[in-house]
Amino acid sequence: MKHYNIVTIFPQMFDAPFKQGVISKAIEAGIVAVNAIDLRVYAEDKHRTTDDYQYGGGVGLVMKPEPIVRAVRAIRERSETHVVMLDPRGEKFTQRTAERLSGYESLTFICGRYEGVDERVRELVVDEAISLGDFILTGGEFAAMTMIDAVARLIPGVLGDDTSMDEESFSLTSAAGVANTLEYPHYTRPPEYEGLKVPELLLSGRHADIVKWRAAQALEQTRKYRPELLDATQLDDASRKEIYQATATPKGKELKLAVALMHYPMQDKQGTLVTTSITNMDLHDISRSAATYGAKRYFVVTPLQAQREIAQKVISHWTEGFGAGYNSNRKEAFTRTELCDSILYAMQECEKLWGEKPLLVATTARTERATVSAASLGKIAESRPVLLLFGTGWGFRKEVFDVVDYVLEPILGASDFNHLSVRSAVAILLDRLTQNIG
Ligand SMILES: C[S@@+](CC[C@H](N)C(=O)[O-])C[C@H]1O[C@@H](n2cnc3c(N)ncnc32)[C@H](O)[C@@H]1O
């Protein structure tokens, strides 16, 4: 039998909560015992004083150390017990704490009141301090009741059906496929209520599909309401692996998006109009980013035919030549890459692909030019094609900003340095546009 002792000045408070429901049945069955101990019994003066004014001044009373220490020692004389101080400064109570505490044969909860408990109690008899959460209660009794309820229901035999715990929210052995998630939604009769229907699958009797649906729902609810539960830091290695595998599906959204890397009309350091050179790395890396984020086309724009010819050799090597057989991933990345002499050509290609003219969106490193956020542009690109223009050299000439439909907000890092390579900028902005942010 598990013993749960509570040291309190209000022992009667514990009569009602454990007289009904599942825990009361476990008490009747002799699986757990809840024993509220009147602290006043351990006060030695004739007024049974358990509190006093605090040293150092200030309003509010403090619970005296002697009665509490005596009460705990009296319990320990009878049997070993793990002593928990209910204290807002303690470790925050979670399902993990409940699981851990359920391993003790005997727990003793010390309930503070007023301003709290004389600090020396903690040093003398307390094993650990636990808080119910970041709020202040009038006394530890409410916290103790909650914790006893959460702990006792984990004891085998307390809940009728042991396996029902596996699927619950926060469980680490979740039958929903992933540990530490919220639970999937539940429905009961009637099948339709005030126009709202129970999901048809649940009425179908297709058990295997229902299990899959519930697993997906559990993950979805968790991502939506408590994404931090999926945070790796909260989990052990096995659960982390499980979650990683269950969530390792593409998370971005497919957009009507094409990218153009412009080598003209650019400016140099002095602001002079120039045509920049194509670089091998921009060909490879932006093709790979475009493929990863589902950008349908990557146009490399330069009016210089000689440059296009050299670059075409590189692309052909990977799409048709030796490279195609050597590395088929690279071939796949390059299938969307095309060299062209003007942005007009790129726009026409987009129009052919999506049946309407694309919105022209320039990118910049300068905040004052920006007219659209990544979140808004991501939304726009769900329904309208967007051709995203990236610059080279020292950036676009001013005229470009005057003719485009939008200028996308720049990437700002954690410092004043703002000189990303265009390859990095493409990857980061494609990530921002395709993720479900905003
Ligand atoms: C009014 S509170 C004292 C609050 C304290 N002066 C402070 O500011 O942290 C009285 C008692 O209620 C209990 N208590 C209050 N909030 C609690 C919480 N979030 N978790 C656990 N116990 C709590 C503790 O036993 C505490 O000693």
Side-chain angles (χ1 to χ4, degrees):
M1 189 198 301
K2 302 276 188 183
H3 289 271
Y4 300 133
N5 309 303
I6 308 105
V7 176
T8 167
I9 55 169
F10 295 128
Q12 301 87 336
M13 283 180 73
F14 289 82
D15 291 346
F18 301 114
K19 279 245 161 66
Q20 279 116 42
V22 172
I23 309 293
S24 74
K25 294 210 174 68
I27 293 171
E28 277 165 29
I31 303 170
V32 299
V34 178
N35 180 25
I37 293 158
D38 187 355
L39 185 61
R40 291 183 203 283
V41 171
Y42 293 91
E44 288 201 318
D45 65 322
K46 71 173 186 308
H47 300 294
R48 300 268 167 220
T49 313
T50 54
D51 52 75
D52 208 339
Y53 295 102
Q54 60 178 312
Y55 281 125
V59 283
L61 296 165
V62 171
M63 297 191 67
K64 287 166 68 59
E66 311 93 311
I68 298 177
V69 168
R70 270 196 292 271
V72 171
R73 287 186 178 150
I75 298 166
R76 282 203 166 126
E77 257 167 43
R78 291 194 293 275
S79 68
E80 185 40 50
T81 188
H82 183 76
V83 178
V84 174
M85 167 80 96
L86 284 322
D87 188 337
R89 293 173 301 175
E91 168 197 315
K92 216 182 277 182
F93 188 78
T94 66
Q95 190 64 18
R96 299 290 86 74
T97 325
E99 285 162 5
R100 183 168 59 74
L101 294 183
S102 71
Y104 290 99
E105 292 309 305
S106 167
L107 292 170
T108 296
F109 295 92
I110 299 176
C111 303
R113 282 262 152 189
Y114 320 117
E115 286 309 307
V117 176
D118 186 291
E119 191 65 19
R120 288 164 291 187
V121 169
R122 215 169 146 162
E123 281 178 47
L124 288 171
V125 289
V126 171
D127 291 310
E128 65 175 314
I130 305 184
S131 166
L132 194 57
D134 290 344
F135 44 80
I136 297 300
L137 299 164
T138 54
E141 289 78 5
F142 301 103
M145 287 170 198
T146 308
M147 292 180 198
I148 291 172
D149 186 77
V151 171
R153 64 191 290 287
L154 298 176
I155 308 301
V158 172
L159 293 185
D161 177 3
D162 274 354
T163 58
S164 69
M165 277 192 289
D166 287 352
E167 295 196 7
E168 274 174 350
S169 299
F170 314 116
S171 167
L172 278 187
T173 53
S174 176
V178 178
N180 206 33
T181 57
L182 301 178
E183 205 181 13
Y184 48 82
H186 302 281
Y187 296 89
T188 181
R189 277 180 289 192
E192 185 172 342
Y193 179 63
E194 297 207 353
L196 300 176
K197 289 186 178 155
V198 173
E200 234 163 70
L201 176 67
L202 296 179
L203 313 175
S204 70
R206 287 171 9 229
H207 188 67
D209 291 340
I210 292 173
V211 169
K212 271 194 214 146
W213 179 85
R214 285 179 166 166
Q217 286 289 317
L219 262 180
E220 198 179 309
Q221 303 266 323
T222 313
R223 281 216 196 93
K224 189 162 163 194
Y225 299 115
R226 298 287 308 279
E228 78 282 7
L229 291 178
L230 301 173
D231 178 351
T233 57
Q234 301 226 359
L235 302 161
D236 58 24
D237 280 352
S239 318
R240 231 187 330 264
K241 197 168 154 201
E242 211 180 332
I243 285 187
Y244 178 74
Q245 285 169 354
T247 55
T249 48
K251 292 183 201 72
K253 44 188 176 181
E254 257 209 49
L255 303 178
K256 294 181 175 174
L257 198 58
V259 174
L261 183 65
M262 307 294 293
H263 297 85
Y264 178 89
M266 308 312 302
Q267 56 188 358
D268 67 6
K269 197 174 176 184
Q270 283 75 37
T272 316
L273 176 66
V274 289
T275 305
T276 57
S277 303
I278 293 177
T279 76
N280 194 21
M281 276 191 293
D282 288 342
L283 289 178
H284 279 265
D285 294 359
I286 296 177
S287 296
R288 294 162 77 177
S289 294
T292 304
Y293 289 100
K296 293 283 178 297
R297 305 295 298 272
Y298 167 33
F299 300 99
V300 181
V301 185
T302 179
L304 300 182
Q305 196 186 344
Q307 287 267 310
R308 291 201 304 274
E309 278 169 10
I310 299 170
Q312 188 56 54
K313 275 192 183 156
V314 174
I315 296 175
S316 299
H317 170 79
W318 292 101
T319 51
E320 296 153 22
F322 174 78
Y326 179 71
N327 185 346
S328 60
N329 288 339
R330 198 56 55 87
K331 177 178 175 179
E332 191 184 333
F334 272 123
T335 52
R336 73 209 59 239
T337 309
E338 191 176 353
L339 293 151
C340 61
D341 62 353
S342 76
I343 194 64
L344 277 180
Y345 174 87
M347 290 171 74
Q348 283 162 1
E349 285 297 295
C350 290
E351 195 174 346
K352 271 192 224 158
L353 183 64
W354 285 299
E356 64 176 310
K357 272 203 177 69
L359 288 166
L360 270 190
V361 180
T363 52
T364 176
R366 288 168 56 176
T367 32
E368 70 271 18
R369 294 199 197 279
T371 60
V372 69
S373 69
S376 311
L377 188 63
K379 247 285 55 42
I380 292 169
E382 283 176 27
S383 52
R384 296 198 56 183
V386 166
L387 178 56
L388 200 53
L389 310 183
F390 287 89
T392 50
W394 289 76
F396 288 117
R397 301 266 298 169
K398 188 181 160 299
E399 307 87 84
V400 173
F401 295 106
D402 296 337
V403 298
V404 294
D405 296 289
Y406 294 105
V407 179
L408 181 55
E409 63 178 355
I411 301 156
L412 297 178
S415 74
D416 292 337
F417 188 88
N418 194 5
H419 305 279
L420 286 166
S421 70
V422 68
R423 300 176 294 287
S424 304
V426 172
I428 294 167
L429 288 175
L430 287 182
D431 190 72
R432 289 187 181 173
L433 291 180
T434 54
Q435 300 306 303
N436 295 301
I437 47 171

